[in-house]
Amino acid sequence: MRIALALAGMLVMFVVAVGVLFLGVLGFTPVNACSGACYAPFMMATVGTVVIGLSAAFATWFRALREPRAYWPWVGAALMVGLYLVSLSVAEKVL
């Protein structure tokens, strides 16, 4: 049961990551010449999502092939959504 729950969580986390990356690139790419703070929401949405996804996948499966830690993909998906909301908040201030 844990393996099925972990695989379902990985699928959900992948779908959330693709959505956050798509919306992050679409919404936070600077269109005017800028430097510094205006790249913060873009970097948060892109780099942060990749780091959270890789960390959650590693935490789920590393040394746990018989009994994976099934809650980490769900935590990763929630963190990705939270990171997107924080980057929206930062974007309102700097863009």
Side-chain angles (χ1 to χ4, degrees), residues 69-88:
R69 297 172 210 59
Y71 54 89
W72 276 109
W74 301 98
V75 170
L79 286 175
M80 287 177 193
V81 170
L83 179 70
Y84 181 71
L85 294 175
V86 168
S87 60
L88 274 176

Side-chain angles (χ1 to χ4, degrees), residues 31-63:
V31 292
N32 298 329
C34 67
S35 63
C38 65
Y39 282 107
F42 176 74
M43 289 306 211
M44 287 171 64
T46 55
V47 175
T49 302
V50 172
V51 168
I52 290 171
L54 290 175
S55 300
F58 183 77
T60 302
W61 297 106
F62 183 69
R63 291 190 179 186

Side-chain angles (χ1 to χ4, degrees), residues 7-21 49 53 73 77 80:
L7 289 174
M10 294 294 287
L11 181 64
V12 167
M13 187 175 67
F14 176 74
V15 169
V16 168
V18 168
V20 168
L21 285 172
T49 302
M80 287 177 193

